[in-house]
Amino acid sequence: MLPVTFAARIEHDAPSDRRNRPLGSRNRAWAVIVFTALSCVSLIACGRTDHDARSDAAASSVAASALPTSGALDCAAAAAASPASDTQAQTRILGNGIEADTPGSDGTRTFALGAPFTIAVTTRSPKADTVEWQIRDAWDIARAAGRVNVGDGVQTFALRCTSSRAGYFAVIASLVHGGQRLPHRGTRPAGIATFGVLPDVSDALPAPTYARQDQHRFGGQGANYLRPGQQCCNGDGYRPLYPLLGLSWANDMRNWYVQEPERPNSFTPGPDTLAPYFRQGDIMRLIQLDGIPGWASPTGAPTHSYAPTSEAAYRSYLSRVGADSAQIRAAYFPHQSSNYYQVTWEPDYDSGLPWRDSDAHFVNLYRATYEAIHASDPHAVVMGPTNASVRENVRWLERLAPLGIGRYLDGVAIHGYYDAGTSPSHPPERLATDRDRAAAANALPASMRALRATMTKLLKPGAKLFVTETGISYDLGTAYGEDYPTHNVLFAQGVLVARTHLIVLGEGADVTYVFYSSDIPESPPGYGLFFDLDHPHGAYGSGSISPKPAAMAVAAMTRIIDGTTTLGYLHDTPPGVYGYAFQRLNGGKVITALWSHDNAHWNATQGFSARYATPYTLQVDGNGTSGQVTVFDVMGNACALPYTNGRIALALSESPIYVVSTHASVMKANVTAPAGYVAQ
């Protein structure tokens, strides 16, 4: 973790988010042969189109570029451009040579599957030229391409597009003779303009039915003010972005230092205290309680490091927060079974908000919080300690257990960081195959299992587990710039975002939060799911964004995995193969998320490889049976693949896939459920 000052933390809350930062080779030849054979089956089963076959030869040789699913991106362009009539466009293009964008979206630069959209290209050239353009996907495969003649001066033309293929797309355009490429904009590197096409998985996975609203499993941090007339930080920073990404939880600040900064008893509970952006009732609240005001602090300044000087004043405030939450739940969230409270925020000794007081005072803070909140909110779930890394939460819980911390927790809240930088070079499985058992224990799957085991010892059965922040940045020592991030880095970040959150859910978390909505001014850079197009170093609350592969991977993951309970991790998998099974609510279909990872093929020096593949056979039905299952790639594109003798042959890559099957009993016999996990 890198430190962040208390003052900076207040300044950048936008409006209720926090920023804190974390701290063997295969038989490749056989794997490629197996993948080639499977690809032929997939091409037939999924009806891949001639349009897909037009991908360039180099890109189409990428073995694990995604499951070869059906769908095409079709774009038609005018034979030649025409003079620009938009004076704003003329001014903007001055000195840039060429620009491209996707007007007409809701500000997210994403579009519905099959819906028409436009890519507008503007050029400024001293003489007639030709624009050469391509649209490439997350695996750098060309999905559409062409050339358009342009005259001198400011010219415009439009690509009229539709896509039956979901995912991330990068427009690459340049002037053939002038040599100019698309400019660097904000945190987005030069050479590309990006957009996304949202998946529709409803044919295989109809929308689930939720008995309780808090069965939703995905939340987020970050606000973006995308609607006309909005700016940071006034208005609704969560819509349209959160519903589009499938995020149903956000943070709501009921911190004492925020609500009563000057004096006690100034906070009056009631449903009108709820911020307008929560009143639609579709985005639930994680109620934050960390931090105390200066007038109640032993230091005389707002702090997270010490217990308050008056426990009675602290209890009085929290009893009012509990009453407030109970009224808000009744008015705006009647289908939510509980209110969820997070008591502390990264109290790690080396964090930006370190606990400097005694362990006894820390546990006493939780005791006072637990008793005061429960006294006024009968539906309270009190959680903590929310250390930065999974393993550090285990250490704190075990250290504080003799002081009784378990008696004052209805659940555990953690941040899900797992390495010295959670980045392309540090994937969550990096240490899993280490010969040193102590090192292997720090891999994310092993850390989550240790946490679940600790929870079963200290907390009551069915205790909740919320992972309220986990992000994947770019590598340590990198910076936003003209030529960074590269396509390969963006691919790596996207698949790691999906894998990390699949691991924490598959290992027993009830809810997981993605961090951060768009790029922010942090080191290392790049936590955002979206580029910030306005600020070259990122900012909080940006009003102009465009998607990275990570955004579209999250949009697919939430549509496929939300509305499930966890069955567990596949056992008896070979080293480097990872699989987690989930079941749709109400006894629905089974979804198995699968991928492989090999450190030898995954590094910043040689590249984060999408090329190698690992053969694996998954049991989806009983012995002697045959049929078909639907398989989704990481972007939510579907493919129908056959199985025989109850098993489907797959080629697994670093990019997760999702296998949809119907026989839960078969899958349950082949997984290990997380310790103490109780289905929601």
Side-chain angles (χ1 to χ4, degrees):
M1 290 295 295
L2 298 174
V4 52
T5 66
F6 186 81
R9 194 170 174 226
I10 297 173
E11 176 185 353
H12 292 304
D13 287 341
S16 62
D17 301 296
R18 303 299 181 79
R19 109 175 134 72
N20 272 278
R21 311 172 292 278
L23 300 166
S25 65
R26 307 265 182 258
N27 186 339
R28 188 173 179 222
W30 183 52
V32 172
I33 291 170
V34 171
F35 186 89
T36 303
L38 290 173
S39 295
C40 295
V41 173
S42 301
L43 289 170
I44 296 169
C46 297
R48 193 173 182 182
T49 66
D50 290 339
H51 187 93
D52 292 319
R54 293 200 297 268
S55 301
D56 59 88
S60 64
S61 70
V62 176
S65 61
L67 196 70
T69 47
S70 60
L73 172 66
D74 292 302
C75 291
S82 59
S85 58
D86 181 355
T87 56
Q88 185 177 6
Q90 294 188 41
T91 301
R92 188 178 61 248
I93 201 67
L94 183 63
N96 287 336
I98 184 169
E99 266 201 5
D101 206 348
T102 51
S105 80
D106 55 5
T108 62
R109 290 176 170 82
T110 64
F111 303 92
L113 196 70
F117 61 94
T118 298
I119 300 171
V121 180
T122 306
T123 64
R124 184 181 184 91
S125 177
K127 59 182 179 180
D129 208 328
T130 300
V131 172
E132 192 169 71
W133 62 270
Q134 287 187 349
I135 301 175
R136 304 180 80 89
D137 67 11
W139 295 271
D140 208 22
I141 295 177
R143 295 294 176 181
R147 295 164 69 97
V148 175
N149 296 323
V150 296
D152 61 349
V154 181
Q155 301 268 304
T156 64
F157 67 89
L159 305 177
R160 310 290 182 184
C161 304
T162 59
S163 183
S164 56
R165 187 174 188 83
Y168 160 91
F169 296 97
V171 180
I172 301 169
S174 62
L175 288 164
V176 172
H177 301 296
Q180 294 97 331
R181 58 179 178 165
L182 297 175
H184 174 214
R185 183 175 175 189
T187 63
R188 191 178 69 194
I192 61 172
T194 70
F195 67 94
V197 176
L198 296 164
D200 182 351
V201 304
S202 59
D203 283 350
L205 293 170
T209 300
Y210 295 88
R212 301 177 305 280
Q213 189 176 1
D214 34 350
Q215 290 174 312
H216 284 285
R217 307 193 71 175
F218 292 95
Q221 287 193 47
N224 293 95
Y225 298 86
L226 306 179
R227 290 174 171 169
Q230 289 191 354
Q231 59 184 3
C232 183
C233 297
N234 298 309
D236 187 345
Y238 298 119
R239 297 175 187 82
L241 193 61
Y242 277 44
L244 177 147
L245 290 174
L247 306 180
S248 300
W249 296 85
N251 296 339
D252 191 16
M253 297 180 72
R254 287 294 189 266
N255 322 71
W256 197 13
Y257 74 90
V258 173
Q259 300 297 334
E260 292 190 340
E262 303 297 334
R263 63 186 187 282
N265 301 313
S266 56
F267 175 75
T268 302
D272 291 343
T273 66
L274 186 65
Y277 43 80
F278 281 119
R279 294 181 185 181
Q280 292 187 35
D282 56 336
I283 298 175
M284 292 171 285
R285 305 181 305 143
L286 174 67
I287 303 161
Q288 295 179 254
L289 302 177
D290 54 283
I292 63 175
W295 59 264
S297 166
T299 68
T303 185
H304 287 67
S305 299
Y306 298 94
T309 54
S310 171
E311 183 177 311
Y314 181 66
R315 285 175 173 270
S316 171
Y317 171 71
L318 290 181
S319 69
R320 283 175 280 131
V321 170
D324 180 71
S325 298
Q327 294 178 51
I328 287 171
R329 175 181 165 275
Y332 293 105
F333 302 97
H335 302 296
Q336 183 175 325
S337 63
S338 302
N339 288 316
Y340 299 86
Y341 300 84
Q342 182 173 284
V343 181
T344 51
W345 182 290
E346 294 193 358
D348 311 59
Y349 299 128
D350 59 351
S351 78
L353 303 170
W355 183 255
R356 301 299 192 204
D357 212 330
S358 68
D359 282 356
H361 282 174
F362 188 86
V363 173
N364 193 54
L365 182 80
Y366 271 81
R367 178 185 60 80
T369 304
Y370 182 91
E371 292 173 355
I373 290 288
H374 276 280
S376 56
D377 183 359
H379 299 283
V381 174
V382 174
M383 302 185 296
T386 328
N387 294 96
S389 74
V390 179
R391 183 62 64 171
E392 193 65 13
N393 282 278
V394 176
R395 286 190 279 263
W396 276 57
L397 288 171
E398 290 178 343
R399 189 185 78 245
L400 298 172
L403 299 177
I405 188 70
R407 294 195 294 271
Y408 310 120
L409 290 171
D410 300 303
V412 169
I414 69 170
H415 288 171
Y417 299 102
Y418 53 80
D419 210 326
T422 53
S423 66
S425 289
H426 289 169
E429 315 88 351
R430 181 174 75 96
L431 299 172
T433 54
D434 199 295
R435 293 180 181 179
D436 183 343
R437 290 189 177 183
N442 287 315
L444 181 57
S447 295
M448 286 293 297
R449 290 171 202 176
L451 177 65
R452 292 290 330 182
T454 300
M455 288 177 62
T456 61
K457 290 187 297 184
L458 300 184
L459 276 67
K460 59 191 175 185
K464 304 291 186 182
L465 174 55
F466 276 44
V467 183
T468 61
E469 175 185 320
T470 313
I472 303 294
S473 68
Y474 306 149
D475 278 350
L476 296 168
T478 61
Y480 303 119
E482 185 84 4
D483 296 302
Y484 193 87
T486 65
H487 172 85
N488 189 233
V489 168
L490 291 172
F491 162 77
Q493 186 210 17
V495 298
L496 291 193
V497 166
R499 279 157 43 184
T500 299
H501 291 281
L502 289 169
I503 289 171
V504 298
L505 291 175
E507 295 288 355
D510 297 292
V511 172
T512 186
Y513 271 50
V514 295
F515 179 94
Y516 199 77
S517 60
S518 62
D519 284 335
I520 50 179
E522 297 294 340
S523 180
Y527 282 106
L529 303 180
F530 286 74
F531 297 110
D532 177 349
L533 299 184
D534 286 341
H535 307 91
H537 303 292
Y540 297 91
S542 175
S544 185
I545 61 176
S546 71
K548 304 179 190 180
M552 307 317 296
V554 167
M557 175 175 59
T558 60
R559 285 158 172 77
I560 294 168
I561 299 298
D562 202 14
T564 67
T565 59
T566 295
L567 297 182
Y569 64 87
L570 292 175
H571 47 62
D572 300 325
T573 57
V577 170
Y578 300 86
Y580 293 94
F582 306 87
Q583 186 175 19
R584 277 293 178 102
L585 295 171
N586 308 309
K589 293 180 179 180
V590 173
I591 301 145
T592 307
L594 296 138
W595 65 91
S596 63
H597 172 69
D598 187 346
N599 290 332
H601 294 95
W602 190 265
N603 58 77
T605 302
Q606 298 176 347
F608 306 109
S609 178
R611 292 178 178 271
Y612 82 94
T614 303
Y616 180 72
T617 301
L618 176 69
Q619 186 170 4
V620 294
D621 205 344
N623 294 335
T625 61
S626 61
Q628 280 191 339
V629 293
T630 297
V631 184
F632 291 102
D633 70 12
V634 71
M635 297 293 167
N637 296 295
C639 181
L641 291 182
Y643 65 85
T644 58
N645 195 30
R647 291 162 174 81
I648 180 172
L650 299 165
L652 303 180
S653 75
E654 300 274 356
S655 182
I657 63 172
Y658 305 90
V659 179
V660 181
S661 58
T662 57
H663 298 284
S665 60
V666 170
M667 191 58 66
K668 288 177 181 178
N670 290 293
V671 299
T672 300
Y677 175 79
V678 176
Q680 301 303 300

